[in-house]
């Protein structure tokens, strides 16, 4: 369908500029970045799940290629090259938003190429997210390094893009050292969000009703908050600082994982206490060099996390214990290291910005600023490891990007494409990434039934899952953990008897909760085996 013709008269010229950039935006929106392939053969590299692997970005085996992604320019905008994990672009079904140097946010309508400018921030945007879809409205949360968090409804009224302020929170006082801060904001559903700056974390309620009065508040994160609708999860003290946060994609309560610049991951579980909505119940260090800062953390399953090390040059897949029946707690599954043989085998040529393309596609997407490359890392259905890496090239360094799914059209084969909306050094561009090119031949995902956008994934994070689905996922993870524990037990010299005893004991305690009569017989069996051993 051809987008409506742009008007060119009077005041509408400001929002309906008939420029080459606006025409390119219309073309990109209508063509889906021009990628309508029936089938796509993957040209990547197979990995052995559960085995630590080094991926040499300079090496190519037979059959491996680095194809150029299909690209559609959206608008020309020069952004200074900088290596930082700032999420400076967001996209919904209707709008594309990206941060400008002075703190404003440019809004582009996909179908009409209307333009608008959101003001309020005085310094650079560090994070921005649309509220979970679907909705008639587009609600954007943005957090800047100036300590201001804005939540605004963006809509079209009388042919113009209009904004309505829903919430403004100013953090004061700011952390002592503002340099290197990475403010973060994540949605806990459509009416709550969680945000962090420095080591301070807080939860805020958002009134999204049409006609709701704007709410403006100042929060002192050094104290227990007394502001209505805002609760402090972690006080602002000093380092270590938060570098990334993730909300559980399947937990009905929205479990929170937080990565810090001291190399640790802390997992927070929701509570029924309004004043203290989360409590921390797990802490682990995913990498051996634990004092180095993390770069990202992402939920990929009910109890599985992918953690990015310094510069996201390493991805570590971990499974978490439930705290009650798991004696070992968090456990490493696999580590994937990106390295360059041209740089002596180290990771100096790697600086990856990570964007999870949603666990339903079982993909982690990374953009290497130093190589102008995009990596798609595929993991197994039961989160037992990474099994495939695909590599693609871009026209210029990608500083920040987000991914939305475009389903395959009726009559077409394949799983559709991911549209990558990218902020690059010279332009804002849209790339098309075919899902079938990112995983082993014959492997399917569940993306055909579940939307893959950043925002829709966060909606799933806040929505309850069925008991059957949760139990099935937990059981698969439990089986994998038991096998790994047996293997590691042998590696540590415990012997197969000790590893088997641990598995029997854990199985017995699980059964005690579900089927007490059978658990009694199992308990007696464990006692007899223990005595015999």
């Amino acid at each position: 369908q051809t987008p409506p013709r742009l008007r060119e008269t009077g005041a509408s010229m400001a929002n309906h500029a008939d420029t080459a950039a606006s025409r390119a935006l219309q073309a990109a929106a209508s063509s889906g970045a021009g990628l309508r392939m029936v089938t796509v053969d993957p040209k990547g590299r197979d990995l052995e799940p559960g085995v630590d692997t080094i991926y040499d970005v300079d090496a190519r085996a037979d059959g491996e290629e680095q194809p150029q992604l299909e690209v559609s320019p959206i608008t020309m905008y020069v952004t200074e090259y900088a290596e930082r994990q700032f999420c400076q672009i967001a996209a919904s079904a209707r709008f594309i938003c990206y941060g400008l140097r002075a703190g404003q946010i440019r809004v582009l309508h996909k179908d009409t190429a209307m333009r608008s400018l959101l003001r309020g921030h005085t310094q650079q945007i560090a994070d921005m997210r649309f509220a979970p879809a679907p909705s008639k409205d587009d609600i954007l949360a943005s957090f800047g390094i100036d300590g201001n968090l804005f939540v605004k409804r963006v809509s079209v009224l009388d042919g113009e893009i209009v904004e309505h302020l829903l919430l403004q929170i100013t953090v004061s006082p700011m952390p002592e050292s503002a340099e290197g801060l990475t403010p973060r904001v994540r949605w806990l559903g459509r009416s709550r969000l969680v945000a962090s700056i420095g080591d301070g974390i807080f939860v805020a309620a958002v009134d999204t009703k049409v006609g709701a009065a704007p709410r403006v508040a100042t929060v002192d994160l050094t104290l227990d908050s007394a502001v209505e609708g805002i609760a402090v999860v972690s006080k602002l003290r000093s380092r270590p600082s938060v570098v990334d946060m993730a909300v559980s994609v399947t937990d009905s309560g929205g479990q929170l994982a937080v990565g810090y610049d001291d190399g640790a991951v802390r997992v927070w579980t929701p509570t029924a206490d309004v004043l203290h909505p989360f409590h921390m119940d797990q802490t682990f260090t995913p990498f051996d060099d634990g004092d180095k800062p993390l770069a990202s953390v992402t939920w990929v399953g009910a109890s599985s996390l992918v953690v990015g090390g310094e510069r996201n040059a390493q991805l570590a897949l971990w499974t978490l214990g439930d705290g009650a029946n798991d004696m070992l707690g968090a456990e490493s599954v696999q580590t994937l290291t990106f390295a360059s043989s041209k740089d002596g085998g180290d990771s100096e040529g790697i600086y990856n910005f990570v964007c999870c393309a949603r666990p339903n596609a079982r993909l982690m997407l990374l953009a290497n600023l130093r190589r102008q490359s995009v990596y798609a890392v595929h993991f197994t259905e039961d989160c037992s490891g990474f099994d495939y890496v695909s590599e693609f090239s871009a026209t210029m360094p990608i500083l920040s990007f987000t991914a939305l799914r475009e389903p395959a059209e009726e009559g077409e084969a394949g799983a559709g494409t991911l549209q990558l909306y990218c902020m690059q050094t010279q332009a804002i561009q849209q790339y098309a990434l075919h899902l079938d090119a990112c995983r082993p031949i014959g492997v399917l995902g569940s993306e055909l039934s579940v939307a893959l956008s950043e925002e829709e994934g966060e909606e799933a994070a806040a929505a309850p899952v069925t008991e059957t689905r949760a139990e099935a996922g937990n059981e698969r993870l439990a089986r994998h953990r038991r096998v790994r524990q047996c293997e590691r037990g042998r590696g540590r010299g415990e012997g197969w008897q000790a590893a088997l005893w641990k598995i029997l004991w854990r199985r017995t305690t699980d059964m005690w909760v579900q089927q007490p009569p059978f658990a009694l017989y199992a308990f007696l069996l464990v006692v007899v085996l223990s005595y015999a051993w």
Side-chain angles (χ1 to χ4, degrees):
Q1 181 179 358
T2 303
R5 183 175 179 82
L6 300 179
R7 296 177 295 174
E8 304 179 16
T9 59
S12 57
M13 280 292 293
N15 288 342
H16 300 267
D18 188 9
T19 63
S22 64
R23 290 192 294 273
L25 174 61
Q26 293 181 14
S30 60
S31 68
L35 186 59
R36 292 296 180 195
M37 295 176 289
V38 176
T39 58
V40 176
D41 292 330
K43 302 294 184 181
R45 184 179 307 175
D46 290 302
L47 305 178
E48 184 177 353
V51 177
D52 292 350
T53 304
I54 297 178
Y55 180 81
D56 187 350
V57 299
D58 298 314
R60 293 286 182 274
D62 292 340
E64 293 183 5
E65 297 179 7
Q66 187 187 17
Q68 169 75 47
L69 291 173
E70 295 267 351
V71 60
S72 291
I74 294 176
T75 186
M76 301 300 294
Y77 181 73
V78 177
T79 304
E80 180 183 358
Y81 180 92
E83 296 181 346
R84 54 195 169 205
Q85 298 292 323
F86 281 7
C87 302
Q88 295 183 277
I89 188 167
S92 68
R94 287 172 285 268
F95 297 104
I96 302 171
C97 300
Y98 59 92
L100 305 182
R101 286 180 289 272
Q104 305 98 328
I105 298 175
R106 172 66 69 190
V107 182
L108 302 177
H109 195 285
K110 287 184 177 180
D111 297 328
T112 65
M114 290 186 294
R115 301 158 65 88
S116 184
L117 202 62
L118 306 184
R119 294 179 171 86
H121 292 285
T122 59
Q123 297 183 56
Q124 197 167 25
I125 307 296
D127 201 3
M128 65 171 73
R129 308 273 168 168
F130 275 104
S135 172
K136 296 180 180 179
D137 300 320
D138 292 273
I139 299 175
L140 179 70
S142 58
F143 205 176
I145 60 176
D146 57 359
N148 286 312
L149 187 152
F150 287 92
V151 180
K152 297 182 178 182
R153 176 182 285 108
V154 182
S155 57
V156 176
L157 180 64
D158 297 331
E160 303 289 338
I161 297 178
V162 296
E163 63 175 280
H164 177 71
L165 178 65
L166 300 177
L167 177 66
Q168 176 185 350
I169 296 177
T170 300
V171 176
S172 180
M174 286 281 287
E176 294 181 0
S177 176
E179 184 178 357
L181 287 180
T182 308
R184 284 288 185 249
V185 59
R186 298 289 183 270
W187 287 93
L188 297 170
R190 287 198 59 82
S191 59
R192 292 175 72 224
L193 54 78
V194 58
S196 68
I197 185 168
D199 61 336
I201 305 174
F202 62 94
V203 171
V206 182
D207 188 352
T208 60
K209 295 190 297 292
V210 175
R215 185 159 167 260
V216 179
T218 300
V219 177
D220 185 349
L221 295 182
T222 63
L223 308 172
D224 287 325
S225 176
V227 180
E228 182 181 359
I230 302 175
V232 175
V233 177
S234 177
K235 291 183 182 181
L236 184 63
R237 297 181 178 90
S238 58
R239 301 179 69 87
S241 295
V242 175
V243 296
D244 199 19
M245 297 192 301
V247 180
S248 172
V249 295
T250 56
D251 190 278
S252 61
Q255 199 172 19
L256 182 67
V258 183
Y260 291 81
D261 63 2
D262 66 347
V265 174
R266 295 169 175 86
V267 181
W268 303 71
T269 300
T271 70
D273 189 345
V274 177
L275 297 179
H276 303 89
F278 288 91
H279 76 273
M280 186 175 64
D281 58 4
Q282 290 195 62
T283 300
F284 65 96
T285 303
F287 299 100
D288 293 335
D289 49 354
D291 57 338
K292 292 186 178 180
L294 301 179
S296 64
V297 57
T298 307
W299 288 98
V300 295
S303 302
S304 299
L305 282 169
V306 172
V307 183
E310 188 177 24
R311 306 190 311 276
N312 281 312
Q314 286 183 299
L315 294 182
L317 177 60
W318 282 68
T319 58
L320 305 182
D322 58 16
N325 297 326
D326 196 322
M327 293 181 291
L328 298 181
E331 182 184 3
S332 174
V333 176
Q334 184 177 1
T335 299
L336 174 63
T337 301
F338 293 86
S340 170
S341 56
K342 293 181 179 179
D343 295 330
D346 59 24
S347 300
E348 288 303 316
I350 310 295
Y351 188 94
N352 291 329
F353 179 91
V354 167
C355 170
C356 180
R358 296 302 91 199
N360 302 296
R362 304 203 297 274
L363 284 177
M364 293 290 296
L365 298 181
L366 306 93
N368 187 355
L369 277 69
R370 299 178 182 178
R371 293 298 182 96
Q372 298 179 201
S373 300
V374 174
Y375 309 118
V377 181
H378 187 268
F379 50 89
T380 61
E381 183 178 4
D382 59 357
C383 296
S384 60
F386 304 114
D387 60 1
Y388 204 75
V389 177
S390 303
E391 187 172 346
F392 308 89
S393 61
T395 58
M396 62 187 76
I398 297 176
L399 305 176
S400 178
F401 73 106
T402 187
L404 294 182
R405 176 177 175 263
E406 177 184 307
E409 291 187 348
E410 186 176 357
E412 287 185 343
T417 62
L418 286 174
Q419 298 301 325
L420 309 184
Y421 296 90
C422 304
M423 171 179 277
Q424 299 181 267
T425 52
Q426 301 296 320
I428 307 297
Q429 301 198 101
Q430 177 181 349
Y431 292 89
L433 177 63
H434 203 286
L435 289 172
D436 287 338
C438 303
R439 56 195 179 196
I441 296 177
V443 174
L444 299 177
S446 58
E447 66 279 343
L448 293 180
S449 60
V450 183
L452 294 181
S453 72
E454 183 99 8
E455 294 75 34
E456 290 168 351
E458 290 176 351
E459 171 78 356
V465 296
T466 62
E467 183 178 359
T468 302
R469 178 183 172 188
E471 289 180 350
N474 290 336
E475 180 59 28
R476 286 195 300 269
L477 289 171
R479 286 198 299 269
H480 167 69
R481 291 172 63 84
R482 289 164 190 149
V483 172
R484 294 279 292 179
Q485 288 162 8
C486 276
E487 294 174 350
R488 295 191 175 205
R490 288 196 298 268
R492 289 192 300 264
E494 292 180 351
W496 66 267
Q497 298 96 333
L500 178 62
W501 185 88
K502 288 183 178 180
I503 294 174
L504 288 173
W505 179 260
R506 185 178 299 106
R507 189 60 180 168
T508 301
T509 54
D510 292 342
M511 191 182 299
W512 187 270
V513 177
Q514 300 172 5
Q515 297 174 307
F518 294 98
L520 179 59
Y521 294 107
F523 176 76
L524 294 176
L525 178 61
V526 170
V527 171
V528 172
L529 290 176
S530 300
Y531 179 77
W533 174 48

